[in-house]
Structure formats: structure tokens, C-alpha cells
Amino acid sequence: MVQATPQPASSAALDSPEPVEPPNQSQPISAQNALAMVGGLATVLLAAFLAVVIRRGLPGKCAFCGGKTGPFSWQHDECAEKNRAAWTNMVSAATEAARSGSGLDSLRETLSNLALGGKVPLDRIKEAEVGGFEAAVTAILDSSAISPTQESQLVSFMKAADLTQQDLDARGLWSRMVKGCVLSDVASGNLRSRVSAGTLPFNSQKGEILLWIFPTCRYAAEKAHRSYVGGSSGVSVRIMRGVYYRVGAFKGHPVETTSLDEVDTGILAITQKNLYFAGPHATFRIAIAKIVSLVPYSDGFTLFRDRANAK
């Protein structure tokens, strides 16, 4: 028998290994790839420049006064500032006319003069009028509902500016104004229906006045869920290979949890007496007098009914 004599390990092997730097994974960019990247960037910049040229013309000429500018500029700074000031004054003039109802006969002339003085295209006058209407409605609703006097002034502004409901509702302004008027009606008690709804899937009561409709409303309700938690005790008896029989009992207790679950999506209608909801899976009516609590949110509300188990 030959027995090999073990050799002692060298001291170098027992020392901590020297850290090894990982190989550099990045590869140098070849000249061909670099040229391709530069060419792609140049193409993008050229396309953007051509798009601006098509829209604004060749640089070197001020778009406002027509005077000479730098080789890569389309405007003088003072001309651009004058244009911005003119636009701001146009919107301000329209806002004041909509809020006060004054100067409506000369509104279009006022806006035209401001536009010409600041080199604002005349076809943007209607845009300034819509912007003024929006600013006026927003300022009113920030502090109160829209009173009958304010409603009359806004309607007069619409006639003077030749604005239609379609012009305003492109930005949701007509609906905002009517909602503000409805709130004023409710506060004063002078109720009338401002909504044209056609046929609704509700059996309304006698004397009800339809105040508003939300055509796509999500309805969610608080639901209770019960589950059992616990464990089993006992022993397992082997019957055959791979088969065991558990002898014992399960001991647990029920746990109830609640969650807000979406139930349906449908139409929500509001009258001075009831709330109505109708969807494919749920339909109900809640009397206003039976609502004991209502919490508003930016996109909806939560209400509790006067019931033994209010949810």
C-alpha cells in the first residue's frame, strides 16, 4: 500500500484572495457606429427645422413686424412681448365684459383693436372670447353659485360674442355654467328643470323636477365578507403508502371584514325629492329626506341612508 503524504497548504492559499476587477463589458463605439448616430441625430434636427420652416417660414424675418432678424430667429424679443401683452389684454377685456355685462356693444371692436396693435391674428378673437367666458365662470364659481343677474350677463356676452353651446362645451364651459345656475336655483328655492333628458328608466313621482343627470355613474356599496381563521389539532394515522387519515378537529372563529365593491355603472338622476340610479344590475331610489349623511369628493360622493344598518 502506498500512502501519499499530504502537503501543507501554502501561506498564499490561506490568505484572503485578492479582489478581481470584473471585465469591462462596454465595448468601444466604432467609427462607423458613431457616424450612424450622428447622422440619425442630424436627420431628426433637420426634420424639426423643416417643420418649423413650413409653419413659420424661413428665419431672418420677424413674424410680427416683418423687420430683419438674426439668421436663425423668427421674431424680435420686443415684438414677441408686445404680442403676448396684447393677447393677455384681449382675454382680460373679454373676462370683464362677461362678468360685468358692460361694453358688449363694442366688445368685438375692442378685441380687434387690441389684436391689430399686438399683431395677433384676427381669427383668434373667438378664442379670446371663450377664454374670457371661462375665466368669468371660474371666478364666479370659486366664491358662489351663478345668480340670475350673473346668468343674464353671461348669456348677453354669449350673444354679443356669437358663441354657441358647442363653442363653450368643447371645453366643458356650458355644462359648468348650467350647473352653477342649478345650484343657485336650489339655494333660492326657485326650482326649474334645465335638463333635456328624453325618456328615462325611472318612475318619477308627481311634482318632481329633474335637476341634473349623470349619464355614466359608477355605483359602489359597502360589502361584508366572512372568513374563518384557526387551525386543526390531532394526529395522522398512516393507512397505506402515501395515504394518511387525520384524526382531530378544526378549531376556528369567524372574522368579518368590509370593503367598498363596485356594483354597477348606470344613470344617476337628481330631483328635489329623490336620487335615482338605474343600471343593468341595480336600480333604486333614495329619498332626499332619508339621507342622514353625505360626504362629497372631487369625483363623487358617499351617502348614508336612514336605516337600522346604514351603509
Side-chain angles (χ1 to χ4, degrees), residues 9-34:
S10 65
S11 59
L14 297 176
D15 293 338
S16 299
E18 292 292 334
V20 179
E21 294 185 0
N24 187 7
Q25 299 295 330
S26 61
Q27 298 295 329
I29 300 176
S30 64
Q32 183 178 2
N33 291 337

Side-chain angles (χ1 to χ4, degrees), residues 99 136-154 176-189 194:
R99 292 195 64 179
V137 170
T138 301
I140 295 172
L141 294 179
D142 282 344
S143 58
S144 64
I146 297 177
S147 67
T149 300
Q150 292 168 330
E151 178 186 357
S152 177
Q153 292 169 345
L154 291 172
R176 289 187 64 192
M177 186 190 78
V178 177
K179 286 178 183 178
C181 296
V182 170
L183 292 176
S184 180
D185 294 343
V186 173
S188 64
R194 297 174 178 266

Side-chain angles (χ1 to χ4, degrees), residues 208-287:
E208 279 193 286
I209 300 174
L210 182 62
L211 300 178
W212 202 258
I213 297 175
F214 297 93
T216 306
C217 178
R218 292 186 294 121
Y219 165 54
E222 192 178 69
K223 300 290 185 180
H225 306 276
R226 174 177 293 185
S227 61
Y228 285 86
V229 298
S232 59
S233 59
V235 295
S236 297
V237 180
R238 183 174 186 271
I239 299 177
M240 63 179 65
R241 184 176 181 180
V243 179
Y244 292 84
Y245 177 74
R246 182 75 176 177
V247 180
F250 176 83
K251 293 183 179 181
H253 60 278
V255 175
E256 286 193 357
T257 59
T258 60
S259 63
L260 194 63
D261 298 342
E262 187 169 330
V263 179
D264 205 353
T265 298
I267 301 173
L268 175 67
I270 302 176
T271 73
Q272 84 279 23
K273 295 182 179 180
N274 298 288
L275 294 181
Y276 293 89
F277 179 84
H281 309 293
T283 301
F284 57 82
R285 175 174 60 198
I286 301 176

Side-chain angles (χ1 to χ4, degrees), residues 9 24 29 39 46-47 52 74 82 128 160 174 246 251 261 295:
N24 187 7
I29 300 176
L46 179 60
V52 175
W74 284 269
K82 189 176 180 180
W174 175 258
R246 182 75 176 177
K251 293 183 179 181
D261 298 342
V295 182

Side-chain angles (χ1 to χ4, degrees), residues 118-198:
K119 304 298 182 180
V120 177
L122 294 179
D123 58 6
R124 296 193 66 191
I125 289 180
K126 174 166 285 191
E127 182 184 347
E129 292 168 339
V130 173
F133 186 93
E134 180 177 19
V137 170
T138 301
I140 295 172
L141 294 179
D142 282 344
S143 58
S144 64
I146 297 177
S147 67
T149 300
Q150 292 168 330
E151 178 186 357
S152 177
Q153 292 169 345
L154 291 172
V155 172
S156 297
F157 176 84
M158 288 180 58
K159 293 179 179 178
D162 196 23
L163 296 178
T164 65
Q165 295 183 20
Q166 290 75 19
D167 294 331
L168 299 177
D169 244 357
R171 292 160 66 169
L173 300 178
W174 175 258
S175 297
R176 289 187 64 192
M177 186 190 78
V178 177
K179 286 178 183 178
C181 296
V182 170
L183 292 176
S184 180
D185 294 343
V186 173
S188 64
N190 183 23
L191 299 179
R192 54 175 170 154
S193 181
R194 297 174 178 266
V195 181
S196 178

